[in-house]
Amino acid sequence: MSRGVSILGSTGSIGTSTLEVIAALPDQFHIVALTAGRNVDLLVQQARRFRPRYVAVRDSADVAAVREALGGGVSVGCGDEALVEAASLAEAEIVVTAVVGSVGITATLASLRQGKRVALANKESLVAGGRLVMQAAREGTGEIIPVDSEHSAVFQCLQGEKPGSLRRVLLTASGGPFRTWSIDEMKAAGLSDALRHPTWQMGGKITIDSATLMNKGLEVIEAHWLFGVDIDDIEVVVHPQSIIHSMIEMVDGSIIAQLGAADMKGPIQYALTYPSREVGASAPLSLADVGRLTFESPDSGRFPCLRLAYQAGRVGGTAPAVLSAANEVAVASFLEGRIGFMEIARCVEHVLSRHDPATATTLDEVLAADAWARSEAEGYLMREQSIL
């Protein structure tokens, strides 16, 4: 029987890859809802091909044009509320949360409380609201299947293993475009340099996060919640080939790894079809062609964002939400050309240093911390720019 899927963030890299996977498995899945931000033209193209009954855009000014382009039979919503509506449609058994930012938390919570499967690609849901999200999954009978290649790898490695047999998690990182750059070289790095990821094709924000290693720091916090592992039992290992997507070490010292091509369609398909495996949309991997696999430790001196993420993860409470929000503001400023690359980490560190961590037991507390961090980050960047 075909299962209904809502994709939150259908025009981004994860969203478009998800549609490719679903197109390859037309008898198993159909699209119920699609949502997008600014790329309205692509959203319309996707809706014409996959024929959802609901689409949503970020800006109310785009609603009329989308409604006219799609004609009758398709409802059109807008804003954050529309994300929740798309996630809550009764026909949507699976919700792919591929939006960027804390905007995804509310929709993730709504999906889980209604007992849906969440194919989770929105980092902020777990980084900022991990306690709430895991509680919603338990209480609402929903399930989280991670889409990030690293967490998908850990999830796959854990299949069939008994509780209590896991010693630690090893998250692999490509090292990003600046893996071999000196600090002085990184200070002079431009936007085009930071967006030149060596192994993955991703959206702008996550590509910059990969360049600072903040992406890996956020994944450490995610793994803590997903797999119930202490922050200090999660190790980041730089693996430039991006073939081993992550590993687990068992209590007997055995290390189990999941390998695959650097292609997000594999983890996406697994999240949709779990516990089954189907003929893949990804190209098969040839280890002979890869040749060799290498590993090294990350340099927290050149990449302080990783250190800051560990720091926030250990503190817990609202600190991870503040880390994520401040980083979001700083990365957006870098993408807009307002600040230099190294200023991203300095902004995040400043905001964390001014934060008084509190509990994060309600969504309001999480969102308040997020809003405070954004305001503090913007203020810091404005002051720094006025000095320059």
Side-chain angles (χ1 to χ4, degrees), residues 44-252:
V44 168
Q45 294 175 29
Q46 293 173 340
R48 285 172 173 165
R49 179 180 179 187
F50 291 94
R51 307 182 67 81
R53 79 170 185 84
Y54 184 84
V55 300
V57 292
R58 180 181 302 168
D59 194 336
S60 59
D62 294 321
V63 170
V66 172
R67 185 175 289 129
E68 182 179 357
L70 296 179
V74 180
S75 298
V76 183
C78 71
D80 294 349
E81 298 82 3
L83 286 178
V84 176
E85 185 170 355
S88 302
L89 295 172
E91 308 97 300
E93 298 177 61
I94 302 173
V95 178
V96 180
T97 56
V99 292
V100 175
S102 58
V103 67
I105 299 175
T106 306
T108 297
L109 290 172
S111 303
L112 292 170
R113 287 167 178 160
Q114 294 173 37
K116 300 179 186 294
R117 170 179 294 183
V118 173
L120 186 63
N122 172 251
K123 294 183 182 300
E124 291 77 10
S125 289
L126 283 174
V127 172
R131 186 179 302 279
L132 301 177
V133 169
M134 300 311 293
Q135 181 179 347
R138 290 191 299 269
E139 296 177 352
T141 69
E143 62 177 347
I144 301 170
I145 309 295
V147 166
D148 275 353
S149 61
E150 296 82 0
H151 301 110
S152 176
V154 174
F155 182 78
Q156 293 180 58
C157 289
L158 285 170
Q159 297 306 302
E161 299 294 340
K162 293 181 180 179
S165 60
L166 175 66
R167 175 181 290 167
R168 62 184 180 135
V169 169
L170 303 169
L171 296 178
T172 55
S174 70
F178 302 140
R179 180 175 66 87
T180 61
W181 288 38
S182 68
I183 288 180
D184 287 340
E185 288 173 323
M186 292 165 66
K187 287 178 180 177
L191 179 58
S192 61
D193 298 315
L195 289 173
R196 199 174 294 122
H197 197 280
T199 54
W200 291 95
Q201 296 295 320
M202 304 176 292
K205 197 269 184 181
I206 191 172
T207 303
I208 301 305
D209 282 349
S210 294
T212 64
L213 290 195
M214 177 62 86
N215 188 51
K216 210 53 49 180
L218 298 177
E219 288 173 4
V220 168
I221 300 172
E222 285 184 276
H224 161 68
W225 289 111
L226 280 170
F227 308 115
V229 182
D230 289 344
I231 291 291
D232 290 317
D233 289 330
I234 305 168
E235 180 182 345
V236 173
V237 180
V238 176
H239 168 52
Q241 295 80 23
S242 297
I243 296 299
I244 297 178
H245 295 306
S246 277
M247 300 168 275
I248 57 174
E249 181 183 332
M250 312 308 289
V251 291
D252 63 358

Side-chain angles (χ1 to χ4, degrees), residues 38 191 204-205 208-209 324-339 344 374 378 381 385:
R38 298 184 179 88
L191 179 58
K205 197 269 184 181
I208 301 305
D209 282 349
S324 177
N327 178 67
E328 215 175 307
V329 170
V331 170
S333 294
F334 176 67
L335 287 168
E336 294 166 2
R338 294 167 51 198
I339 63 173
I344 296 173
R374 290 173 190 277
E378 286 288 4
L381 294 176
Q385 288 166 353

